[in-house]
Amino acid sequence: MLRCGRFELSLNRPLVMGVVNVTPDSFSDGGQHQNAEAAIAHAFALVDEGADILDIGGESTRPGAQQISVQTEWKRIAPVLEALLAAGVPVSVDTRHAEVMRLALALGVDMINDVQGFRDPESIGAVAGTQAALCVMHMRGEPATMQQAPVYRDVVAEVRSFLAARLAELRGRGIARDQLLVDPGIGFGKTLEDNLRLLRETRSLAELGAPVLVGVSRKSMIGQLTGRDLAGRLAGSLAGALAAVARGAAIVRVHDVAATRDALTVWHAVAQEAFTAVDS
Ligand code: HH2
């Protein structure tokens, strides 16, 4: 079970988190949902397609992306969040800024997804004492520079020990075990080989005792493997999601919700007994 704000999510089947970017420059769907109305319509469509969680982002974290002000980020997402609180599924906010976390939690969102893994001490202050689920993601460096020749001695061990340390700190600040999720941060300061190793070893991250969330949807690793541009990455993204879930991922973060839902439904029907995502 994952405590997620107003909701308690059962993890006895893989869950789908639908991505809603309210940004002009996201790598995969930037510009499509710039205005709040379009983003809200898109999010409701994702719920109809079977999204279990909606993840709303106002700042692009793609490789090379530039930072924006907290005011700009909040202005982009606030009207969208307000409307989506009525969507009937948990609302997650993809942000690395403590002030945005505070404002979003005050509004009533159910989850904070921080690509920096709550490394900013202020961000822990913003989320402590709430019922929100917290996704702790690993990222090497900053989005602006993270793809500049990342080098790890042992990527799985390093990501795992980073996540373990973050979990320990958050637990130490009174955050309950059943509020926490971990994410290897596919594509965030990692080479193709790093990403593949992390996916292969998803189960070793699940052993940390928190459900694992994985995002491979439309990412450049899918392009590197298939030679496809963004528009042609659906099949590769589905295979990536299934491979992650088969290795213990509990939640997949995707753009193509209906297709992912179908793929997971069929996979789960076959693999039911083998599905061992952490549930408590
Ligand atoms: N990937 C992206 C953004 N946020 N959060 C988590 N927990 N895991 C991920 O893998 C992840 C994430 C990047 O994808 P996208 O949202 O499509 O692009 P952008 O960052 O440009 O908004």
Side-chain angles (χ1 to χ4, degrees):
M1 194 274 293
L2 177 69
R3 195 187 318 181
C4 194
R6 298 165 294 160
F7 299 82
E8 282 188 358
L9 300 179
S10 162
L11 300 173
N12 57 14
R13 66 167 173 85
L15 301 182
V16 176
M17 170 185 257
V19 178
V20 182
N21 283 318
V22 200
T23 57
D25 57 349
S26 281
F27 81 91
S28 63
D29 58 358
Q32 285 174 28
H33 314 301
Q34 258 187 82
N35 69 64
E37 240 169 87
I40 293 163
H42 179 63
F44 275 95
L46 295 185
V47 174
D48 284 345
E49 290 181 24
D52 297 294
I53 305 170
L54 293 168
D55 189 40
I56 320 306
E59 179 198 31
S60 175
T61 48
R62 77 182 196 288
Q66 295 306 312
Q67 289 223 31
I68 55 163
S69 74
V70 164
Q71 287 76 10
T72 304
E73 184 181 348
W74 181 246
K75 241 173 76 183
R76 284 180 185 169
I77 63 172
V80 178
L81 298 180
E82 227 163 317
L84 296 185
L85 287 170
V89 300
V91 176
S92 163
V93 178
D94 187 344
T95 185
R96 49 202 180 119
H97 299 120
E99 189 53 26
V100 173
M101 294 177 192
R102 254 191 215 103
L103 291 165
L105 289 165
L107 204 60
V109 305
D110 305 290
M111 176 167 170
I112 302 291
N113 172 24
D114 181 4
V115 297
Q116 287 187 171
F118 302 91
R119 270 180 281 167
D120 173 1
E122 283 208 23
S123 70
I124 304 189
V127 300
T130 73
Q131 299 288 305
L134 306 176
C135 181
V136 180
M137 199 194 84
H138 175 274
M139 168 170 65
R140 165 66 73 82
E142 287 286 311
T145 55
M146 66 187 176
Q147 285 303 101
Q148 289 168 10
V151 182
Y152 299 86
R153 265 193 304 140
D154 179 341
V155 69
V156 177
E158 284 173 54
V159 167
R160 192 184 146 108
S161 75
F162 168 86
L163 294 173
R166 302 309 308 137
L167 289 180
E169 176 157 8
L170 289 159
R171 294 291 315 281
R173 294 289 296 270
I175 290 152
R177 178 186 288 275
D178 63 3
Q179 284 174 269
L180 292 165
L181 293 151
V182 293
D183 183 334
I186 298 301
F188 285 85
K190 283 129 192 152
T191 63
L192 172 61
E193 190 48 42
D194 295 332
N195 291 324
L196 291 172
R197 285 203 53 208
L198 285 164
L199 285 169
R200 239 170 252 143
E201 302 289 331
T202 301
R203 207 168 296 284
S204 93
L205 300 180
E207 284 165 7
L208 293 171
V212 180
L213 189 153
V214 168
V216 296
S217 179
R218 300 183 188 172
K219 283 191 176 168
S220 52
M221 69 162 283
I222 305 294
Q224 287 170 286
L225 290 168
T226 61
R228 304 280 185 193
D229 63 12
L230 275 173
R233 293 183 188 168
L234 174 59
S237 299
L238 294 174
L242 290 179
V245 165
R247 285 161 182 76
I251 305 178
V252 286
R253 181 183 181 277
V254 306
H255 302 86
D256 301 288
V257 169
T260 306
R261 173 98 272 156
D262 284 358
L264 286 175
T265 298
V266 174
W267 177 85
H268 189 231
V270 176
Q272 216 156 21
E273 278 172 54
F275 185 62
T276 55
V278 181
D279 203 352
S280 50

